């Protein structure tokens, strides 16, 4: 059977969404989960974009054994050498080089002639082949490029040794049938097209990234899909991995393709990415949304109870949903906790991390009688278990609110080694708490988003709060979980401040001017 290669770019294209930037440790945790998910290729980053990204790609390359690790590089020797250096320790490595080929991008962004782009593309692939025989080439804004010019460039880069040809719909302009035919036309016209694997890379600006990718596979004959967990990505995001994989698996009768993904790792991957980036998954999101398998109407419930497949085309457990099980409680010991953490396939970096999580578990179990799998997962997405990131940390919070009275909050928190106390009034208890923090920190950041979600069902559920802050063009997200949503809000705000005060600046490949 034909095989479809799953190329995950959560750590590169996904990370380009404002506020989604991740630390090296966070990227490493996600990469390990992607390996458990058995993705074929992990695009770990854009090594030349910053020292931080270089380190992250290098750490992932040195850790991941089963998946191919890839770095993006613009079509120049400097970027490609940097990618090659970061990938040196990889068991399987790929260099992904790109240059824009649409008239608009060549003229306005690159200020290069088509002939110059043609030469540069060839030289880049030739140079990349010095470091690995797995080289991918992308003509950026490929879908809006002139097909004749594209045929000329792609034939030449395949001759130079490109083994994967990726056709990006960079701005999400395509519609399924046209995109599929565009790919087919290229493959039919390029004499050496059979020497490369063809790949699709679709953005979701018109909500068609998944449909376009599947059309590229079905009509265009692509055998690689580039996608991200939860569809994370700039603007409206990228093609979502979970949707493409489950479409191909569920409609195997139509697509006739194999994918190597362990689908039971999809929901854990979704939760990990959402917890780390602070990009909450909408409840009605296909496959990974909280309501994706919830049957509310009586007719549907009745049908599902009688025969599951009356209203279900996939099984929740096949994509990694666990049934909100009460797993542990106040009396559970460290061994029981460790065992459940292992069953949930949560990676534990060290005994220190396990101990920190166990201490937090005990604290939580004192306040919440029933601890669910989701609660345990939230302990590990909480920054409190990775203390090296924490410059700001909540110690305690007291707040008073009463009908007709102005709410007031008093917060004690750590700034580095110093413990500080701050107080404020506010419009509500959340407002008062965040103002109290801001009164002391004076970050001057603008609050761009505040949202609360229940981690499990019922009023005794923990609240998970996401806070998005913006300052001087930089956007960061923070997440905090606690049975008390005011405390969760303060944790989320402090977590966002922790990110705001780290200084990793990165280049964005799509907006950078130089080729
Ligand atoms: O969307 C795009 O064009 C890209 C390329 C760099 C592959 O992400
Ligand atoms: Zn992209």
């Amino acid at each position: 059977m034909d095989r479809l290669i799953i190329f995950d770019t959560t750590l590169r294209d996904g990370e380009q969404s404002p506020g989604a930037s991740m630390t090296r440790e966070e990227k490493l945790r996600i990469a390990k989960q992607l390996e458990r998910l058995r993705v074929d290729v992990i695009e770990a980053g854009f090594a030349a974009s910053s020292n931080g990204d270089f380190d992250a790609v290098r750490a992932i390359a040195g850790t991941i054994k089963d998946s191919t690790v890839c770095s993006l590089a613009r079509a120049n020797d400097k970027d490609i050498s940097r990618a090659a250096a970061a990938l040196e320790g990889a068991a399987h490595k790929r260099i992904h080089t790109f240059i824009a080929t649409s008239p608009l991008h060549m003229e306005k962004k690159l200020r290069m002639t088509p002939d110059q782009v043609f030469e540069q593309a060839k030289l880049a692939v030739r140079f990349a082949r010095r470091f690995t025989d797995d080289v991918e080439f992308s003509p950026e804004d490929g879908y809006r490029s002139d097909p004749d010019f594209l045929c000329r460039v792609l034939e030449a880069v395949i001759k130079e040794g490109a083994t994967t040809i990726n056709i990006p719909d960079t701005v999400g302009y395509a519609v399924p049938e046209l995109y599929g035919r565009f790919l087919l036309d290229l493959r039919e016209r390029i004499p050496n097209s059979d020497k490369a694997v063809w790949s699709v890379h679709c953005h979701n600006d018109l909500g068609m990234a998944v449909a376009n990718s599947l059309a590229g596979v079905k009509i265009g004959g692509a055998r690689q899909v580039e996608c991200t967990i939860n569809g994370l990505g700039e603007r409206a995001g990228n093609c979502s991995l979970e949707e493409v994989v489950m479409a191909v698996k569920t409609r195997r009768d139509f697509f006739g393709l194999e994918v190597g993904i362990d689908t039971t790792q999809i929901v854990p991957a979704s939760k990990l990415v959402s917890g780390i980036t602070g990009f909450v998954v909408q409840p009605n999101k296909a496959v990974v949304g909280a309501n994706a398998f919830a049957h509310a109407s009586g007719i549907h419930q009745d049908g599902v109870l009688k025969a599951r497949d009356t209203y279900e085309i996939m099984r929740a457990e096949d994509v990694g949903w666990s049934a909100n099980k009460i797993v542990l409680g106040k009396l559970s010991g460290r061994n029981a906790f460790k065992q459940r953490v292992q069953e949930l396939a949560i990676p534990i970096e060290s005994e220190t991390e396990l101990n920190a999580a166990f201490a937090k578990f005990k604290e939580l179990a004192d306040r919440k009688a029933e601890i669910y799998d989701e609660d345990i997962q939230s302990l590990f997405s909480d920054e409190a278990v990775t203390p090296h990131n924490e410059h700001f940390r909540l110690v305690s919070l007291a707040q008073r609110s009463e009908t007709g009275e102005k709410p007031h909050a008093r917060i004690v928190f750590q700034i580095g080694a110093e413990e500080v106390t701050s107080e404020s009034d506010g419009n509500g208890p959340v407002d008062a708490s965040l103002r109290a923090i801001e009164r002391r920190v004076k970050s001057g950041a603008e609050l761009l988003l505040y949202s609360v979600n229940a981690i499990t069902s019922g009023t005794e559920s923990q609240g998970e709060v996401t806070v998005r802050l913006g300052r001087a063009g930089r956007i960061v997200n923070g997440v905090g979980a606690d049975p008390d949503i005011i405390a969760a809000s303060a944790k989320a705000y402090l977590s966002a401040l922790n990110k705001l005060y780290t200084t990793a600046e990165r280049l964005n490949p799509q907006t950078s001017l130089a080729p």
Side-chain angles (χ1 to χ4, degrees):
M1 238 205 174
D2 244 354
R3 195 154 185 285
L4 186 63
I5 297 167
I6 301 297
F7 175 114
D8 181 278
T9 183
T10 307
L11 299 175
R12 197 279 296 171
D13 222 353
E15 201 207 16
Q16 276 171 224
S17 34
S21 63
M22 305 165 216
T23 63
R24 191 181 83 124
E25 281 66 32
E26 289 167 340
K27 284 186 152 200
L28 201 51
R29 276 174 72 189
I30 292 177
K32 287 181 189 165
Q33 179 58 26
L34 293 173
E35 188 178 38
R36 267 191 291 278
L37 186 61
R38 302 221 190 99
V39 306
D40 300 286
V41 186
I42 298 173
E43 189 163 51
F46 172 21
S49 70
S50 69
N51 290 337
D53 231 34
F54 179 89
D55 286 345
V57 175
R58 190 166 51 180
I60 292 168
T63 308
I64 298 300
K65 296 287 164 262
D66 298 337
S67 313
T68 295
V69 180
C70 170
S71 171
L72 186 70
R74 286 167 299 182
N76 63 55
D77 290 4
K78 213 165 144 223
D79 267 32
I80 293 169
S81 304
R82 201 77 180 129
L87 291 170
E88 221 166 64
H92 314 278
K93 61 177 164 228
R94 174 179 295 187
I95 295 177
H96 176 191
T97 187
F98 76 100
I99 188 164
T101 49
S102 66
L104 191 65
H105 279 230
M106 288 191 290
E107 188 193 327
K108 303 277 189 235
K109 188 179 82 168
L110 300 178
R111 294 172 209 279
M112 287 169 76
T113 65
D115 282 345
Q116 288 171 322
V117 167
F118 174 79
E119 282 308 317
Q120 185 126 5
K122 276 196 327 183
L123 291 177
V125 171
R126 190 181 303 164
F127 188 63
R129 280 295 304 239
R130 287 204 209 167
F131 305 99
T132 169
D133 52 16
D134 188 348
V135 173
E136 173 167 335
F137 175 78
S138 287
E140 190 193 1
D141 205 17
Y143 181 65
R144 291 194 302 171
S145 303
D146 168 34
D148 292 342
F149 178 58
L150 218 42
C151 284
R152 194 174 148 227
V153 173
L154 298 180
E155 183 182 349
V157 296
I158 296 172
K159 239 183 233 152
E160 294 292 344
T163 43
T164 301
I165 297 293
N166 180 45
I167 306 297
D169 177 24
T170 305
V171 292
Y173 180 69
V175 289
E177 201 170 333
L178 297 182
Y179 182 71
R181 282 205 249 130
F182 188 78
L183 237 93
L184 181 63
D185 181 52
L186 293 174
R187 285 184 49 237
E188 283 177 352
R189 287 176 56 192
I190 296 173
N192 54 359
S193 66
D194 60 326
K195 302 275 183 305
V197 172
W198 287 70
S199 166
V200 289
H201 179 111
C202 298
H203 282 263
N204 202 32
D205 298 66
L206 293 172
M208 291 191 279
V210 171
N212 287 334
S213 302
L214 291 172
V217 169
K218 184 70 184 172
I219 305 171
R223 286 296 175 267
Q224 173 176 286
V225 175
E226 302 201 349
C227 45
T228 60
I229 303 290
N230 300 335
L232 186 70
E234 247 177 314
R235 309 186 307 276
N238 285 58
C239 168
S240 121
L241 179 145
E242 57 280 4
E243 292 178 23
V244 157
V245 166
M246 290 318 290
V248 171
K249 283 224 162 210
T250 309
R251 297 308 310 268
R252 203 159 172 260
D253 58 320
F254 179 69
F255 290 104
L257 292 169
E258 269 317 329
V259 281
I261 296 294
D262 175 356
T263 59
T264 62
Q265 293 297 326
I266 285 180
V267 168
S270 163
K271 290 190 182 218
L272 184 66
V273 169
S274 137
I276 285 177
T277 59
F279 276 68
V280 177
V281 175
Q282 77 197 53
N284 58 333
K285 166 89 172 61
V287 186
V288 294
N291 288 352
F293 292 89
H295 298 278
S297 102
I299 296 174
H300 287 200
Q301 281 177 350
D302 180 55
V304 168
L305 287 175
K306 286 177 178 147
R308 231 175 142 154
D309 52 4
T310 48
Y311 288 100
E312 276 189 6
I313 57 164
M314 301 171 266
R315 296 187 326 160
E317 54 272 36
D318 289 348
V319 296
W321 283 106
S322 61
N324 258 6
K325 279 185 294 190
I326 302 166
V327 285
L328 297 173
K330 200 179 159 120
L331 300 177
S332 307
R334 190 177 177 281
N335 280 345
F337 177 72
K338 185 174 179 181
Q339 190 185 331
R340 194 62 201 145
V341 167
Q342 281 164 347
E343 281 162 7
L344 289 171
I346 297 171
I348 310 164
E349 304 298 336
S350 62
E351 281 300 298
T352 321
E353 185 179 347
L354 181 72
N355 291 341
F358 182 62
K360 289 183 67 44
F361 159 75
K362 280 300 207 188
E363 225 176 77
L364 181 63
D366 267 344
R367 293 186 294 148
K368 189 172 185 289
E370 297 164 338
I371 305 289
Y372 296 87
D373 287 344
E374 287 81 352
D375 291 315
I376 297 178
Q377 269 149 347
S378 83
L379 294 176
F380 287 84
S381 56
D382 192 324
E383 289 199 4
V385 294
T386 49
H388 43 277
N389 289 334
E390 282 193 298
H391 183 64
F392 300 101
R393 193 165 65 83
L394 179 68
V395 175
S396 66
L397 171 66
Q399 52 80 25
R400 179 171 32 81
S401 64
E402 196 181 329
T403 315
E405 296 290 319
K406 193 110 180 134
H408 183 84
R410 181 175 184 278
I411 183 160
V412 183
F413 62 108
Q414 207 95 32
I415 305 182
E418 189 193 358
E419 192 168 291
V420 299
T421 303
S422 183
E423 301 193 29
S424 176
D425 288 343
N427 284 334
V430 171
D431 187 47
S433 306
L434 304 195
R435 277 175 192 276
I437 298 174
E438 197 48 40
R439 171 170 273 184
R440 186 67 170 74
V441 176
K442 296 188 175 59
S443 76
E446 190 187 348
L447 183 67
L448 302 175
L449 174 105
Y450 171 84
S451 82
V452 192
N453 256 310
I455 288 184
T456 52
S457 51
T459 50
E460 67 118 54
S461 163
Q462 285 198 86
E464 185 177 64
V465 173
T466 303
V467 158
R468 183 171 302 158
L469 298 180
R471 190 178 67 174
R474 186 133 184 260
I475 297 176
V476 294
N477 284 313
V479 183
D482 199 280
D484 173 345
I485 60 165
I486 317 297
S489 306
K491 287 181 184 176
Y493 197 84
L494 292 170
S495 141
L497 287 178
N498 279 323
K499 292 186 180 165
L500 201 63
Y501 283 83
T502 59
T503 50
E505 289 299 345
R506 304 175 59 247
L507 268 178
N508 180 330
Q510 266 84 17
T511 55
S512 54
L513 283 175

